[in-house]
């Protein structure tokens, strides 16, 4: 496996999120790869500057699986303390554009985003650590997304950030999804802007 940082739209690397590319063994019969290896993942985090103590405390609490049709946008979601979540995301059917927004107020990239295409073809995974909002846009007719979460789902901690907040300026590839507007839940369509989350103290320190 290899892991790399992603760049913001302005070319700035963001510490935390990682794009993980597995080694795939393929031949005329099909393919095989390790979709999860704890030792490799922990090494990737430490190579990115995460302390050994923090890595040791990280455990995945639940696995989630979603199925979405073309043009569906889920997010941007995150959980606050005491049950924040890091997510290790992959797409096993179809393709998605996956996004993480830095909500760590002390971070030099606060309020900036990184994004990448995850697909059944590239087998890549996206690590979205605690302190980031996460969302994705479905690019294919159908996409199935699985992710490991480091915290349990907690309704009281769950928050959303508006997908089209102009201060974020996320470049969602709507043309690749072949839609003019994404398909959203009412909750996501009415999610607060970043400025409102700031005023309520609902960002990370």
């Amino acid at each position: 496996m290899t892991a790399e940082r992603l760049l913001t739209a302005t070319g700035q690397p963001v510490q935390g999120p990682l794009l993980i590319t597995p080694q795939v063994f393929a031949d005329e019969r099909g393919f095989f790869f390790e979709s999860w290896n704890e030792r490799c993942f922990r090494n990737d985090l430490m190579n990115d500057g995460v302390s050994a103590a923090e890595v040791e405390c990280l455990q995945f609490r639940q696995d989630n699986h979603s199925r979405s049709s073309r043009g569906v946008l889920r997010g941007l979601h995150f959980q606050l303390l005491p049950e924040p979540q890091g997510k290790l995301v992959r797409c096993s059917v179809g393709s998605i554009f996956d996004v993480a927004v830095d909500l760590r107020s002390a971070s030099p990239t606060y309020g900036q985003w990184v994004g990448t295409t995850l697909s059944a073809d590239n087998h890549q995974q996206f690590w979205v650590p605690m302190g980031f909002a996460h969302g994705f846009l479905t690019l294919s007719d159908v996409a199935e997304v699985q992710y490991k979460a480091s915290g349990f789902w907690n309704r009281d901690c769950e928050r959303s950030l508006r997908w089209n907040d102009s201060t974020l300026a996320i470049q969602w590839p709507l043309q690749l999804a072949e839609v003019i507007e994404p398909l959203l839940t009412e909750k996501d369509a009415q999610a607060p802007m970043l400025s409102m989350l700031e005023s309520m103290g609902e960002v990370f320190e």
Side-chain angles (χ1 to χ4, degrees):
M1 290 185 177
T2 61
E4 59 184 304
R5 288 187 183 182
L6 296 176
L7 304 180
T8 67
T10 59
Q12 186 173 1
V14 178
Q15 196 278 330
L18 292 172
L19 180 63
I20 298 173
T21 303
Q23 184 177 8
V24 180
F25 301 91
D27 57 27
E28 66 279 1
R29 300 169 300 161
F31 65 81
F32 169 86
F33 69 96
E34 289 184 348
S35 62
W36 165 244
N37 183 304
E38 182 180 28
R39 183 185 297 111
C40 291
F41 181 69
R42 289 174 179 266
N43 287 339
D44 289 339
L45 294 185
M46 287 191 288
N47 289 338
D48 194 51
V50 180
S51 70
E54 289 178 287
V55 170
E56 187 63 31
C57 290
L58 177 63
Q59 296 183 27
F60 288 114
R61 303 297 185 181
Q62 64 183 65
D63 282 10
N64 298 334
H65 187 146
S66 72
R67 180 180 174 92
S68 304
S69 55
R70 182 182 292 275
V72 167
L73 195 155
R74 299 182 184 271
L76 299 154
H77 302 148
F78 62 100
Q79 287 191 181
L80 295 171
L81 293 170
E83 195 86 66
Q85 284 185 327
K87 298 175 181 178
L88 182 61
V89 187
R90 68 189 183 104
C91 181
S92 61
V93 175
S95 61
I96 62 171
F97 184 69
D98 209 35
V99 169
V101 179
D102 193 347
L103 296 182
R104 303 167 299 179
S105 58
S107 169
T109 54
Y110 173 71
Q112 298 189 52
W113 64 277
V114 289
T116 188
T117 298
L118 303 179
S119 73
D121 292 330
N122 65 28
H123 308 293
Q124 292 177 318
Q125 299 183 57
F126 191 27
W127 167 239
V128 182
M130 294 178 288
F132 287 77
H134 170 257
F136 67 84
L137 173 68
T138 305
L139 304 179
S140 51
D141 288 339
V142 172
E144 293 194 16
V145 175
Q146 296 89 38
Y147 60 91
K148 306 178 82 66
S150 65
F152 293 111
W153 176 74
N154 186 321
R155 185 187 301 275
D156 294 333
C157 299
E158 186 181 40
R159 297 293 186 275
S160 297
L161 170 63
R162 187 79 62 85
W163 71 279
N164 61 349
D165 185 336
S166 60
T167 62
L168 304 177
I170 298 174
Q171 298 169 12
W172 296 102
L174 296 177
Q175 71 284 359
L176 294 180
E178 300 177 2
V179 295
I180 297 175
E181 292 290 333
L183 302 174
L184 301 153
T185 64
E186 182 177 353
K187 176 182 176 182
D188 287 346
Q190 301 300 322
M193 302 293 188
L194 180 58
S195 59
M196 184 176 295
L197 292 174
E198 291 171 340
S199 68
M200 295 186 295
E202 294 188 340
V203 294
F204 297 84
E205 296 181 357

